[in-house]
Amino acid sequence: MAKKSRDNAKAAKKAKAVKPLKKKIKKLEKALAESQARTAAPRVSPLAPTRFPDLPEIAGVAFAATAAGVRYKGRTDVMLARLAPGTHIAGAFTRSSTRAAPVLDCETKIGRKTGPEEGAAILVNSGNANAFTGKAGQEAVEAIASSVARAVGVPQARVFTSSTGVIGEPLPHARVTAVMDDLTAQLSPTGMEDAARAIMTTDTFPKGAMAEIEIGGHPVRIAGIAKGSGMVAPDMATMLVYIFTDAKVAQPLLQKLLSELIDETFNCITVDGDTSTSDTLLLAATGQSPAPEIRTRRAKTTQVFADALRGVMLDLAHQVVKDGEGATKFVEVGVTGAETVEDARKVAMAIANSPLVKTAIAGEDPNWGRIVMAVGKSGARADRDRLAIRFGDTVVAENGWVSPGYDEATVAAYMTRPELMIGVDLGLGDAAAKAWTCDLTHRYIDINADYRS
Amino acid sequence: MAKKSRDNAKAAKKAKAVKPLKKKIKKLEKALAESQARTAAPRVSPLAPTRFPDLPEIAGVAFAATAAGVRYKGRTDVMLARLAPGTHIAGAFTRSSTRAAPVLDCETKIGRKTGPEEGAAILVNSGNANAFTGKAGQEAVEAIASSVARAVGVPQARVFTSSTGVIGEPLPHARVTAVMDDLTAQLSPTGMEDAARAIMTTDTFPKGAMAEIEIGGHPVRIAGIAKGSGMVAPDMATMLVYIFTDAKVAQPLLQKLLSELIDETFNCITVDGDTSTSDTLLLAATGQSPAPEIRTRRAKTTQVFADALRGVMLDLAHQVVKDGEGATKFVEVGVTGAETVEDARKVAMAIANSPLVKTAIAGEDPNWGRIVMAVGKSGARADRDRLAIRFGDTVVAENGWVSPGYDEATVAAYMTRPELMIGVDLGLGDAAAKAWTCDLTHRYIDINADYRS
């Protein structure tokens, strides 16, 4: 009995200990959740659009996507676009001096004279970038291109391929050519969203954009897809963009428009300032709209078409930034008052690329001192005492010093928004430029440091 | 009794629950510690040298440091160096177009003709950068310089000042001038380590380096201090370096040597690629060594002196990188086989600045694909198929592909070291260059995103 009583007393004492233990567990769980949240992986970027847009069918283009098992399991990883005879194709590519085999191949094919009966095709695989793969890289490109050419009935010189994914590993091209019949059997004008999904690597959402205009009383449609700077170690960010239109435009003019517009769109975005070996943009015009041909750069109709194309390119470019690794903020940097457009772009990109600016934005800190620093290092002409800096509509610094009416609380509240505007006026001239970037967060380090646990 | 029995049973049941609860607490505590360790602040950089070096006294130089309360409490924040008559001073400054007031002031004073009886002085404060402070900035510089001139008995045009710390706030210069008597009273040839501590901002260790050589049978000494890229929001990284020697060198030759050597030392290091508005290097030669004067660039003794000076500059530059924000790895990037030295530097700095390379190093991942990417984006001439990449002594990629004998386990083990070497041979020519960088870690984001909790 005495023992039982002692046991009871012990048990009662232990029982008393339960409550504080449970309290401690709750506290620890909360602390752990908070600590983990700082580096947690969101399934989809918080900046993603609510849904994939309804892309119009583009006369003369059919799409197919399938799972070839290049690297990923249980998802599509190859897309095919078949382009009707008469389609003109323009392209823009990475400026890297270590360009991947498919990029080098595309470059030789762009702008080549084509017969009116020649169709074309674009084939893209994800999972393997076919980059830094020596001679085997070019052989893989040729194996795939010749397989597509046979299956779709177009000359091999009219087959454009891209690859994105792991680098330095030989592309298992037989897996791609093995699904060629499956792909051609599926070809459909409505398959564009599936194509957008098949080219994703670690993108957290598929990217699409469209525009519809009227030329000579007839509708002209533009629709495009992109993949962004998702990355799977040991990969690197690659941006792939495919835009389709039923407009009738000769190749040289199409190329001229693309080259012009890329400087205001894809060349003005940055996630981390690094450049892929595989960046590719292809623009295909089928000419199947009944609208009249777009003939000269200066015609009014050309401007209407260029504006619509710019809108689609900008929309896709912004989506790439919004899916930047670890991005929680989308930032537009607007520079005005520069002596030249080149200077304005230099300043905008120096701010957009600065790790110090990007981490300040992650911390929701209106750190205008770092903007001053980035302007200073840009290499553009700038005068400290003429500089004005805005966050949103609030002027924070001007005439070489903090703005007299500057209220930090207002700007701190503004900085909590997911989409931000930083304005810089250099006070020297009339030239302006914009750049778009995202913040630099713990998640970027997580994704790219590839913690080996 | 029945109730008591029920209570006992309850208590026993609860008591049984204690053990698993305690186990759960242990598990949670471990997980929390692990999670927090990923972003925890080390008090001192893991790459810091074990102790501050024994710096020799430099004839003709005396130091003092004190606490003026510019911004920090309970630490020194002003240092003064008095330089004997006949001292020649060379300087190198940030290339930023938004340079801070003290930098602009120093630039006008460097190289000015001086009388043989004119001494000189250097005054540096931490806590406030006096940057982007409009006209008040220049007024503060002048107030301090004239106070130093009076106290030390040198012309104001021979007083060089630097400021580092918060930007955009007026420098409370009266706090600095108020301690001038205290400073001059303390002046001593042995005060160099105290001076190194007074100029720190968020540096985690004071930085010093020295060399002793013989010229014409007489010893010549060089000793220097630096502060690195620590940063206190809303600050920006600033590098300040002060080097002293008793060598006799005329100002133009001293400036020429400094300008040459800076290209191989401080201009080859990077923490995040951002540039401060205040970076300053001053090199003072008192000429008080009995050694003969160093007269021409091509003399043998000049080379001996230049080599020693390079060593001191490189040592300080490496210490700055080792105290880079969040750094856990020190990396030397060696580029060989370039067509020109300029190309070799471009490639070395592109690798050293790449966030993708730097995060891979943080993750101890021998990600040679990212090195290929950085080579490609550098703008230097490179041929993918001639490129060879080494981590330490192991060739990982060559001839445009992964090296045949590449053993990932060996290289993965190498990557766990705190000091790493990345070698790139471009296979095009004989030019070479080196750059030094650190890894990009969670701690960098923590420091610079300034979490507001």
Side-chain angles (χ1 to χ4, degrees):
Chain A
M1 187 63 195
K3 178 170 184 302
K4 199 177 174 189
S5 169
R6 269 204 311 278
D7 284 355
N8 282 345
K10 252 196 204 167
K13 206 175 156 192
K14 273 201 183 175
K16 258 199 186 161
V18 166
K19 213 175 169 182
L21 288 176
K22 283 194 171 164
K23 218 173 154 183
K24 190 165 183 190
I25 286 173
K26 267 213 174 133
K27 217 173 141 184
L28 280 168
E29 281 174 341
K30 200 182 156 206
L32 181 62
E34 277 174 7
S35 177
Q36 287 177 339
R38 297 176 69 180
T39 60
R43 269 191 49 244
V44 174
S45 165
L47 303 168
T50 47
R51 60 185 199 85
F52 193 83
D54 289 321
L55 299 183
E57 295 178 20
I58 304 292
V61 192
F63 297 92
T66 193
V70 171
R71 184 185 177 91
Y72 310 124
K73 306 267 166 243
R75 55 156 282 188
T76 56
D77 58 359
V78 181
M79 82 101 173
L80 174 65
R82 185 187 62 199
L83 301 156
T87 297
H88 294 302
I89 300 176
F93 305 94
T94 179
R95 294 164 187 169
S96 168
S97 61
T98 54
R99 293 192 283 288
V103 172
L104 295 169
D105 185 69
C106 279
E107 285 179 321
T108 65
K109 293 174 175 173
I110 286 288
R112 172 185 162 275
K113 273 225 183 314
T114 50
E117 294 312 308
E118 286 180 11
I122 298 170
L123 185 133
V124 186
N125 75 271
S126 56
N128 184 310
N130 192 15
F132 213 65
T133 43
K135 256 195 186 164
Q138 180 57 22
E139 287 162 14
V141 171
E142 281 166 19
I144 291 172
S146 74
S147 165
V148 172
R150 269 194 309 278
V152 178
V154 300
Q156 190 178 326
R158 292 273 286 165
V159 178
F160 299 85
T161 74
S162 305
S163 295
T164 178
V166 66
I167 89 151
E169 286 183 18
L171 173 63
H173 54 82
R175 292 186 199 165
V176 177
T177 51
V179 297
M180 211 54 70
D181 290 343
D182 179 23
L183 281 170
T184 46
Q186 272 191 54
L187 281 164
S188 146
T190 63
M192 206 156 174
E193 181 173 348
D194 288 342
R197 290 183 190 278
I199 63 174
M200 288 166 67
T201 53
T202 53
D203 299 64
T204 73
F205 62 90
K207 296 162 190 70
M210 56 80 66
E212 197 168 316
I213 48 172
E214 228 173 67
I215 292 181
H218 297 282
V220 168
R221 298 187 176 91
I222 306 172
I225 58 174
K227 78 160 290 289
S229 49
M231 195 175 313
V232 194
D235 270 23
M236 68 192 67
T238 286
M239 190 169 67
L240 300 179
V241 186
Y242 306 95
I243 300 175
F244 306 91
T245 176
D246 53 7
K248 202 190 295 292
V249 197
Q251 204 280 337
L253 180 55
L254 196 68
Q255 184 67 48
K256 186 177 162 60
L257 285 173
L258 178 63
S259 302
E260 270 179 48
L261 295 174
I262 207 158
D263 272 344
E264 308 166 33
T265 56
F266 288 102
N267 286 346
C268 292
I269 63 169
T270 174
V271 170
D272 56 16
D274 274 334
T275 305
S276 159
T277 53
S278 304
D279 291 333
T280 296
L281 190 162
L282 294 173
L283 168 61
T286 64
Q288 303 228 336
S289 161
E293 184 175 351
I294 293 168
R295 285 180 185 277
T296 62
R297 180 63 190 92
R298 269 172 298 179
K300 249 191 199 163
T301 48
T302 310
Q303 202 45 51
V304 171
F305 177 73
D307 287 344
L309 180 57
R310 181 191 297 105
V312 170
M313 288 168 72
L314 208 50
D315 189 346
L316 290 171
H318 289 180
Q319 289 186 51
V320 167
V321 174
K322 288 175 177 174
D323 209 6
E325 291 166 329
T328 69
K329 308 268 187 193
F330 175 73
V331 186
E332 176 171 297
V333 180
V335 174
T336 53
E339 279 193 334
T340 63
V341 171
E342 200 196 347
D343 267 10
R345 275 197 194 136
K346 269 188 197 164
V347 171
M349 286 303 277
I351 296 168
N353 268 325
S354 162
L356 290 178
V357 171
K358 288 157 65 76
T359 43
I361 292 164
E364 303 188 341
D365 176 9
N367 195 320
W368 56 270
R370 296 188 186 171
I371 310 286
V372 176
M373 174 279 300
V375 172
K377 80 159 184 173
S378 68
R381 199 167 107 65
D383 179 341
R384 197 192 55 182
D385 297 335
R386 286 173 182 232
L387 206 55
I389 297 168
R390 279 179 304 131
F391 285 91
D393 293 329
T394 311
V395 176
V396 297
E398 55 189 333
N399 305 323
W401 209 345
V402 63
S403 180
Y406 175 55
D407 173 33
E408 173 143 359
T410 310
V411 183
Y414 175 75
M415 296 301 290
T416 63
R417 297 190 193 179
E419 306 212 355
L420 299 169
M421 207 288 292
I422 297 175
V424 170
D425 191 277
L426 297 174
L428 298 172
D430 293 324
K434 284 182 180 175
W436 295 271
T437 190
C438 57
D439 52 347
L440 174 55
T441 67
H442 280 292
R443 183 74 194 129
Y444 179 87
I445 308 281
D446 265 351
I447 296 170
N448 291 306
D450 179 31
Y451 276 91
R452 299 178 169 206
S453 51
Chain B
M1 188 67 195
K3 180 169 180 304
K4 201 177 173 191
S5 167
R6 269 204 311 278
D7 284 353
N8 283 346
K10 254 196 202 169
K13 205 175 156 192
K14 274 200 182 175
K16 258 198 189 163
V18 166
K19 211 174 170 184
L21 287 176
K22 283 192 172 164
K23 216 172 155 184
K24 189 166 183 188
I25 285 173
K26 267 212 176 137
K27 216 172 141 184
L28 279 168
E29 280 173 342
K30 198 180 157 209
L32 181 61
E34 278 174 6
S35 176
Q36 287 176 340
R38 297 175 69 180
T39 61
R43 267 189 52 242
V44 173
S45 165
L47 303 167
T50 48
R51 60 184 199 85
F52 193 83
D54 289 321
L55 299 184
E57 295 178 21
I58 305 293
V61 194
F63 297 93
T66 193
V70 171
R71 184 186 176 91
Y72 310 124
K73 306 268 167 242
R75 55 156 281 190
T76 56
D77 57 358
V78 182
M79 81 100 171
L80 173 67
R82 186 187 59 199
L83 302 157
T87 298
H88 294 302
I89 300 176
F93 305 93
T94 177
R95 294 166 186 168
S96 169
S97 61
T98 55
R99 294 192 283 288
V103 173
L104 295 168
D105 185 68
C106 281
E107 285 178 322
T108 66
K109 292 174 175 173
I110 286 286
R112 174 186 161 273
K113 274 225 181 316
T114 51
E117 294 311 310
E118 286 181 9
I122 297 171
L123 185 134
V124 186
N125 76 272
S126 57
N128 184 310
N130 193 15
F132 214 64
T133 43
K135 258 194 184 162
Q138 180 58 19
E139 286 162 14
V141 171
E142 281 167 19
I144 291 172
S146 73
S147 166
V148 172
R150 267 193 311 276
V152 179
V154 299
Q156 190 177 326
R158 292 273 287 165
V159 179
F160 299 85
T161 73
S162 306
S163 296
T164 177
V166 64
I167 88 148
E169 285 184 18
L171 173 62
H173 54 83
R175 293 187 197 164
V176 177
T177 52
V179 297
M180 210 53 69
D181 290 343
D182 180 24
L183 282 170
T184 46
Q186 274 191 55
L187 281 165
S188 148
T190 62
M192 205 156 174
E193 181 173 348
D194 289 342
R197 290 183 191 278
I199 63 173
M200 288 166 68
T201 53
T202 52
D203 299 63
T204 74
F205 61 89
K207 296 162 190 71
M210 57 81 64
E212 195 169 316
I213 50 172
E214 227 172 71
I215 293 182
H218 297 281
V220 166
R221 298 188 176 91
I222 305 172
I225 57 174
K227 76 160 292 290
S229 49
M231 195 174 316
V232 195
D235 270 24
M236 70 192 66
T238 286
M239 192 169 68
L240 299 180
V241 186
Y242 306 95
I243 301 175
F244 306 91
T245 176
D246 53 8
K248 202 191 293 293
V249 197
Q251 205 281 337
L253 180 55
L254 195 68
Q255 184 67 48
K256 187 176 160 61
L257 285 173
L258 178 63
S259 303
E260 269 180 49
L261 295 174
I262 206 158
D263 272 344
E264 306 166 33
T265 55
F266 289 101
N267 286 346
C268 292
I269 62 168
T270 175
V271 170
D272 57 16
D274 274 334
T275 306
S276 158
T277 54
S278 304
D279 291 334
T280 296
L281 190 161
L282 293 174
L283 168 60
T286 65
Q288 304 227 338
S289 164
E293 184 175 351
I294 293 167
R295 285 180 185 278
T296 62
R297 180 63 190 94
R298 270 171 298 179
K300 248 191 200 163
T301 48
T302 310
Q303 200 47 50
V304 172
F305 178 73
D307 287 345
L309 181 57
R310 183 192 296 105
V312 170
M313 288 169 71
L314 208 51
D315 190 345
L316 291 172
H318 288 180
Q319 290 186 50
V320 167
V321 174
K322 287 175 177 174
D323 208 6
E325 292 167 327
T328 68
K329 308 267 188 193
F330 176 73
V331 186
E332 176 171 298
V333 180
V335 175
T336 52
E339 281 195 332
T340 63
V341 172
E342 200 196 347
D343 267 9
R345 279 201 188 131
K346 269 186 197 165
V347 170
M349 286 301 278
I351 295 168
N353 268 324
S354 161
L356 290 179
V357 171
K358 287 156 67 74
T359 44
I361 291 163
E364 302 188 341
D365 176 10
N367 195 321
W368 57 269
R370 296 188 186 171
I371 309 286
V372 176
M373 175 279 300
V375 172
K377 79 160 184 173
S378 69
R381 198 167 107 64
D383 178 341
R384 194 191 57 184
D385 295 336
R386 286 173 181 233
L387 207 55
I389 297 168
R390 279 179 304 131
F391 285 91
D393 293 329
T394 311
V395 176
V396 297
E398 56 189 333
N399 306 323
W401 209 346
V402 64
S403 179
Y406 174 56
D407 172 33
E408 174 143 358
T410 309
V411 183
Y414 175 76
M415 295 301 289
T416 63
R417 297 190 192 180
E419 304 212 356
L420 299 169
M421 209 287 294
I422 297 175
V424 171
D425 191 278
L426 297 174
L428 298 171
D430 294 324
K434 283 182 180 174
W436 294 272
T437 190
C438 58
D439 53 346
L440 174 55
T441 67
H442 281 292
R443 182 75 193 126
Y444 179 87
I445 308 281
D446 265 352
I447 296 169
N448 292 307
D450 179 32
Y451 276 91
R452 300 180 167 205
S453 52

